[in-house]
Amino acid sequence: MKRTVILTILTLVCFTNIMFGQGKDDDTYISYLKNEIFVQYGAPSIVEMTNKLGNDTYNGPNITRKFKGTGASYTGIAAAGYNRYLNPYFCVGAYIGTGESQIKARETESGKIVFSSKVRNITCMANFGWTYYRNGIWDISCGVSGGFAHKDENISVYNSNDKSVPTEDDNIVLAYNFTVLKVRVGGGIIGGFAEFGFGYKGVANAGLSIRF
């Protein structure tokens, strides 16, 4: 009888220690910093890079000459934002980014520039992120963003006398982004990250984040 009681007590003590140890590990694992601010800079977005002029394209009803795209230039996209972690794996936040792109077209026969378009974008979106791997200094996640973009476009059409006829076009469009992969290295308050995706953010971005 006494031996049974002793074995029962030892079993309960061991079980309690195991449970306490697991709880302590879990508390350590799920402890996380809930707020994050970040700045980043990236390559042009998919939207910008696919907005190119093709060959043998007509500019409009007032231009009868054929022209072809003569390349595009981009400033890249600078951005900042904030994320709030609702748990160790899921966050919501906000993003604002800006960039500029320019495309030109030359007349097919003469080689003269007949058209240019410069677009400034300001994009505001809500972020939704899911972290599917957290271990030490590594965080790996993916996400989706949605919002709107303001496009300020300055268009210059050159007539037969090589004089520019400028026009402006401001509009607001729906903006989106799918972050396929985001890797953050740091694990603590300060960390660096790189992300890849497509939409209104840069195709590839790198930045710095601070959690608190």
Side-chain angles (χ1 to χ4, degrees):
M1 180 69 178
K2 186 180 294 185
R3 181 178 298 177
T4 303
V5 171
I6 293 173
L7 289 174
T8 302
I9 293 173
L10 290 174
T11 301
L12 290 172
V13 170
C14 292
F15 181 77
T16 303
N17 288 334
I18 292 172
M19 291 299 294
F20 178 78
Q22 288 178 344
K24 185 175 181 181
D25 290 341
D26 288 343
D27 289 342
T28 302
Y29 177 72
I30 66 173
S31 62
Y32 60 98
L33 300 172
K34 295 183 178 181
N35 302 289
E36 180 181 42
I37 56 175
F38 63 88
V39 292
Q40 65 183 51
Y41 179 79
S45 66
I46 286 287
V47 176
E48 289 177 307
M49 291 194 294
T50 55
N51 185 25
K52 291 185 177 181
L53 295 173
N55 294 331
D56 298 325
T57 306
Y58 289 93
N59 180 55
N62 297 323
I63 301 293
T64 57
R65 297 172 296 174
K66 289 185 178 181
F67 62 87
K68 60 182 178 180
T70 185
S73 60
Y74 311 96
T75 63
I77 299 176
Y82 167 80
N83 289 321
R84 171 76 175 183
Y85 281 84
L86 305 181
N87 58 50
Y89 313 104
F90 185 74
C91 69
V92 297
Y95 164 97
I96 181 169
T98 182
E100 186 174 293
S101 61
Q102 184 174 20
I103 57 175
K104 294 181 180 180
R106 296 181 182 274
E107 187 179 23
T108 303
E109 296 180 359
S110 67
K112 294 181 180 179
I113 294 178
V114 295
F115 174 86
S116 67
S117 173
K118 180 182 291 185
V119 182
R120 298 181 184 89
N121 290 304
I122 298 177
T123 303
C124 299
M125 294 187 290
N127 290 328
F128 302 90
W130 175 52
T131 301
Y132 55 87
Y133 180 82
R134 291 169 64 94
N135 187 6
I137 64 173
W138 298 96
D139 282 12
I140 303 178
S141 62
C142 59
V144 63
S145 304
F148 63 89
H150 176 262
K151 292 187 174 184
D152 180 11
E153 185 173 12
N154 295 314
I155 303 170
S156 295
V157 179
Y158 297 86
N159 58 25
S160 57
N161 296 321
D162 294 331
K163 291 183 179 181
S164 172
V165 183
T167 59
E168 291 188 9
D169 183 21
D170 291 350
N171 57 76
I172 295 177
V173 299
L174 293 177
Y176 63 89
N177 196 82
F178 297 95
T179 301
V180 178
L181 176 67
K182 179 178 180 179
V183 180
R184 183 183 189 270
V185 182
I189 295 176
I190 300 177
F193 66 88
E195 65 178 28
F196 308 90
F198 58 93
Y200 276 75
K201 294 182 182 181
V203 175
N205 300 284
L208 178 70
S209 76
I210 299 175
R211 292 176 177 174
F212 56 95

